[in-house]
Amino acid sequence: MENINHEPLALEEPEKNLIREYGTVVNYSKGQIIFSAGDTADRIYLIEKGFVKIYRITTDGRRVTVGSMRSPGQLMGLAETLYHGERTCFAGAINNVTLVVVRKSCFERLLMRHPLIAIKVATTLGVRMREAEAIIQEMVCWQVPGRLAMLLLKMSERAGVETDTGTKITLRLTHEEIACMIGTSRQTVTSLLNMFKQENSISIEEREMIILDIEKLNKWIV
């Protein structure tokens, strides 16, 4: 399973400081849209705090998550900005989010002056292309229980805290948000979570989810 907390060649703190010098800090509240499909892609974002989902809206109005959630320390909005096209997706704040926003012209100057950052950006784009291919494979080849199990394991890596009983996922998502991420309905997510609870692979206490048995969840990923 991919390590979704740290992308290959992750930005070091001095490199993040350089990006901060070129950008402006902006805060978004939970649920707020950061950019929309059709917007001009003229800036990139460094996530300082919070989590961001990347999604599209289908013709019947459903939100479908594409790509992985973006985490603190990661850059987003890269491909379309460097290409200078229009946004094809929406980005929404899952919780309260703090971003450093850097305009395209400033970011290009930064890349020219600091080639190592440019190499890391290129590597990040390559990793995300493979990530997108993996998501397509999951949707085609895996049944819904496997997709949900994989998402829970990824969330435990990304936003998990070890406790005496298991790994507590600190990021709270609604069943509707989870459904958008794995291409199913809210009702199916609720039913599967109840099934995972019955087999003691997870527990849910006061809306907080705890991963109790990784091996049991892995058995669904087939």
Side-chain angles (χ1 to χ4, degrees):
M1 184 169 57
E2 62 175 335
N3 184 335
I4 52 178
N5 276 321
H6 300 98
E7 292 177 310
L9 294 178
L11 293 171
E12 303 292 341
E13 199 61 28
E15 295 164 337
K16 293 178 188 177
N17 286 335
L18 287 170
I19 294 173
R20 291 169 183 134
E21 291 177 10
Y22 281 80
T24 303
V25 175
V26 181
N27 294 304
Y28 291 86
S29 300
K30 177 181 179 180
Q32 192 171 356
I33 293 176
I34 298 165
F35 59 72
S36 301
D39 288 352
T40 299
D42 59 356
R43 62 201 69 189
I44 64 96
Y45 305 83
L46 170 65
I47 303 175
E48 296 276 42
K49 184 179 72 174
F51 294 85
V52 177
K53 60 184 175 182
I54 309 297
Y55 63 94
R56 294 188 179 187
I57 297 179
T58 64
T59 54
D60 59 357
R62 292 184 299 112
R63 294 187 179 189
V64 178
T65 301
V66 293
S68 292
M69 290 184 293
R70 301 293 174 232
S71 307
Q74 293 185 334
L75 294 167
M76 70 174 191
L78 288 169
E80 294 163 333
T81 299
L82 293 173
Y83 176 69
H84 201 61
E86 290 186 349
R87 302 286 184 201
T88 58
C89 301
F90 293 79
I94 294 176
N95 49 10
N96 293 336
V97 172
T98 299
L99 304 172
V100 176
V101 183
V102 184
R103 291 196 173 274
K104 180 178 186 287
S105 57
C106 296
F107 191 61
E108 288 176 338
R109 287 201 302 271
L110 171 66
L111 297 181
M112 287 187 286
R113 292 174 183 173
H114 302 279
L116 182 56
I117 296 180
I119 291 171
K120 290 185 176 183
V121 166
T123 302
T124 296
L125 291 171
V127 168
R128 290 179 181 174
M129 181 178 70
R130 294 188 64 178
E131 190 177 77
E133 293 170 349
I135 289 173
I136 293 172
Q137 181 184 15
E138 290 174 13
M139 290 293 186
V140 172
C141 299
W142 293 359
Q143 298 298 314
V144 177
R147 300 204 298 268
L148 177 57
M150 174 60 83
L151 177 63
L152 296 182
L153 292 172
K154 289 180 178 180
M155 287 171 60
S156 71
E157 286 190 2
R158 174 176 301 208
V161 175
E162 294 302 321
T163 70
D164 291 338
T165 55
T167 304
K168 180 171 70 174
I169 298 175
T170 59
L171 179 61
R172 293 186 179 183
L173 297 175
T174 67
H175 291 190
E176 185 67 35
E177 288 173 321
I178 293 173
C180 291
M181 292 178 180
I182 62 172
T184 189
S185 67
R186 179 187 58 78
Q187 294 86 348
T188 298
V189 168
T190 300
S191 176
L192 288 174
L193 288 176
N194 286 332
M195 182 176 67
F196 290 169
K197 285 169 59 180
Q198 290 171 5
E199 71 170 17
N200 292 319
S201 56
I202 68 169
S203 67
I204 300 176
E205 302 171 3
E206 296 181 353
R207 296 184 60 199
E208 289 188 329
M209 189 179 301
I210 299 175
I211 305 298
L212 301 176
D213 193 323
I214 292 174
E215 292 306 314
K216 285 184 178 179
L217 288 178
N218 273 324
K219 288 179 180 178
W220 290 102
I221 303 172
V222 292

